[in-house]
Amino acid sequence: MFRILTTVLLIIAAPLAAETRVPEKQMEIQLGFAPLVKQATPAVVNIYAKRIVQARQSPFQNDPFFRGLFRDFGEVRPQVQNSLGSGVILSEDGYVVSNYHVVGDAAEIRVVLNDRREFDAEVMLADEDSDLAILKLDGAADMPYLNLRDSDGVEVGELVLAIGNPFGVGQTVSSGIVSGLARSGTATGNGRGYFIQTDAPINPGNSGGALIDVSGQLIGVNTSILTRSGGSNGIGFAIPSNLVAQFVAQARQGHERFQRPWAGMNGQPVDADIAASLGLDRPGGIVVSGLQKVSPFLEAGIEPGDVIVAVDGQPVNTPAEMIFRMSVAGLGEEVTVTAVRNGKSFDTPVRLLAAPEKPQRDRRQMGKSTALPGLQVVNINPAVLAEYGLPLGSTGVVVEDPGPFGGQVGLRKGDILHVINGETVETTDDVQQVLSGRVRVLAFDVQRGLQRLVIRFRL
């Protein structure tokens, strides 16, 4: 499936026997990148995915006026949704990387190689925030694959090739350069991403494809393009190979969800005004505005007001860049964080840990005898804060699934429940107790993002 932010990647086939370089002699110029492409394309695959989605069948769905008024009118029925994308083989035993938006939640996945061999595939690990997924080909052996390059060594101006299956027309190769590094935030439409920017043409169907350098090593995987028309405007984004390596490692360890190191910290980029107020000679870094009491950064001696400027010697200027650096290092590792306090720079080691599950989530699903059958809630802990992107100081209970009735009355996944019918709820047990009583009217005091809402309805 293609989405308005779509990116392309370049791939390379089985490990190269010799280093490939930029053409110099007349014969090499005539051949161009042909030798490199011949070696790379066998490791680039086409991916066909099917997923079952719940779609509402409404007699007004084709009417531009009444469609909005009656969006919740009509019967909900399952439908098959098809998506087309690309992928890159990363190992002889058939591990493949692609985008989450291509294969996430897929019920059936078919992978077609360049030599027309076909394999069924299973999602081993997927993460929507990073838009990455690792697949395993059933019964695969002796597969052509691409080597991963250290993406920290990629420089702006390097020649790159993008290989994928745009518009389903077949495997296609395009060339360009690395246009920018450390792209994140509003430039890509994803505040949690961190990308390599390229001007190599990228189009629908290239998602999950490969971005390779002139030595045939994989430096990135497609995820999005920046466009107003839906076509390629020469601004594409690829997920760096160093993050892909962590995904493959965790997939081999048996993780089904990507385990991202937890910072337990709020911060914002340092612009010119903030730099002036802090007495810094130039903008850059992330100013710490808050820390959880069990944050590993707090334990390492970081304080509110400090400016974090680097992780393991790599500069960080947005929270997304810092999380990327932590994710690349991996859980259980120790990174060196460089910070500035009162104009003086210092280094401190930070141990990378997963967000703790204390207190326990204590997941509760409301039964048929309750006021809202199917409503599922969990207690808020650091892991839940990170998973749902909730404000750092949030406490209480969060909606994990509103259920069929909760969704109809306006509750959403990620809503924090504070008060139900005038009673403060601090745990999932409190919610179950309130909803188990005989009530005719329900009033929820809800926090949704930075908004406080009151949802009232009659049963």
Side-chain angles (χ1 to χ4, degrees), residues 232-431:
S232 175
N233 291 332
I235 303 179
F237 301 97
I239 301 167
S241 56
N242 283 1
L243 184 60
V244 175
Q246 276 296 324
F247 268 74
V248 174
Q250 291 196 19
R252 289 189 177 277
Q253 293 167 7
H255 296 291
E256 295 182 357
R257 298 179 60 181
F258 185 64
Q259 305 295 306
R260 186 177 284 103
W262 177 68
M265 179 183 78
N266 279 343
Q268 66 183 97
V270 175
D271 57 19
D273 291 337
I274 295 177
S277 68
L278 295 174
L280 302 177
D281 60 352
R282 70 189 66 181
I286 306 162
V287 60
V288 178
S289 57
L291 291 156
Q292 263 213 344
K293 60 182 179 181
V294 291
S295 166
F297 280 77
L298 181 63
E299 184 178 348
I302 298 296
E303 300 175 359
D306 290 348
V307 177
I308 296 174
V309 295
V311 175
D312 276 344
Q314 296 291 336
V316 293
N317 293 300
T318 67
E321 291 179 33
M322 188 184 75
I323 295 299
F324 170 80
R325 292 295 169 194
M326 294 167 60
S327 298
V328 164
L331 286 175
E333 299 298 322
E334 188 175 86
V335 296
T336 299
V337 172
T338 304
V340 176
R341 179 186 300 162
N342 298 326
K344 296 182 179 180
S345 177
F346 65 94
D347 292 337
T348 183
V350 176
R351 188 76 172 172
L352 301 182
L353 305 172
E357 288 278 5
K358 295 181 180 180
Q360 294 300 313
R361 298 190 183 209
D362 191 21
R363 182 179 288 106
R364 301 286 181 99
Q365 183 168 344
M366 304 301 112
K368 294 182 179 179
S369 61
T370 63
L372 279 182
L375 173 67
Q376 189 166 290
V377 293
V378 295
N379 290 327
I380 293 177
N381 60 29
V384 173
L385 287 175
E387 184 177 329
Y388 288 90
L390 302 176
L392 195 63
S394 300
T395 58
V397 178
V398 68
V399 175
E400 190 171 64
D401 185 349
F405 301 103
Q408 289 180 12
V409 300
L411 290 177
R412 297 180 187 175
K413 181 177 180 178
D415 284 349
I416 301 174
L417 306 181
H418 290 292
V419 179
I420 303 178
N421 281 6
E423 296 189 36
T424 300
V425 290
E426 299 179 347
T427 66
T428 56
D429 184 64
D430 293 339
V431 175

Side-chain angles (χ1 to χ4, degrees), residues 103-281:
V103 299
D105 300 322
E108 181 181 334
I109 302 172
R110 194 71 175 165
V111 175
V112 182
L113 274 63
N114 183 249
D115 60 11
R116 298 187 179 182
R117 284 184 293 168
E118 297 187 10
F119 292 87
D120 290 327
E122 178 185 0
V123 176
M124 306 301 292
L125 183 150
D127 182 72
E128 186 172 7
D129 287 334
S130 299
D131 197 22
L132 280 178
I134 302 298
L135 312 176
K136 179 68 169 64
L137 304 183
D138 293 344
D142 299 322
M143 293 286 105
Y145 66 93
L146 300 183
N147 284 326
L148 295 172
R149 174 181 166 182
D150 180 359
S151 54
D152 286 344
V154 175
E155 297 184 17
V156 174
E158 286 193 35
L159 290 172
V160 292
L161 296 180
I163 307 173
N165 182 22
F167 301 107
V169 300
Q171 197 169 85
T172 301
V173 181
S174 57
S175 66
I177 64 169
V178 173
S179 305
L181 300 171
R183 299 304 194 204
S184 61
T186 56
T188 63
N190 183 352
R192 303 189 71 168
Y194 180 95
F195 304 99
I196 296 170
Q197 182 182 331
T198 177
D199 69 346
I202 297 167
N203 289 289
N206 278 131
S207 294
L211 187 68
I212 60 171
D213 62 12
V214 293
S215 66
Q217 293 180 304
L218 184 71
I219 65 171
V221 175
N222 318 338
T223 187
S224 63
I225 61 174
L226 200 59
T227 177
R228 293 180 178 177
S229 63
S232 175
N233 291 332
I235 303 179
F237 301 97
I239 301 167
S241 56
N242 283 1
L243 184 60
V244 175
Q246 276 296 324
F247 268 74
V248 174
Q250 291 196 19
R252 289 189 177 277
Q253 293 167 7
H255 296 291
E256 295 182 357
R257 298 179 60 181
F258 185 64
Q259 305 295 306
R260 186 177 284 103
W262 177 68
M265 179 183 78
N266 279 343
Q268 66 183 97
V270 175
D271 57 19
D273 291 337
I274 295 177
S277 68
L278 295 174
L280 302 177
D281 60 352

Side-chain angles (χ1 to χ4, degrees), residues 1 49-53 79-81 83 101-107:
M1 179 189 296
K50 292 183 179 180
R51 57 171 58 87
I52 307 299
V53 298
Q79 287 187 345
V80 176
Q81 187 179 77
S83 63
H101 74 263
V102 174
V103 299
D105 300 322

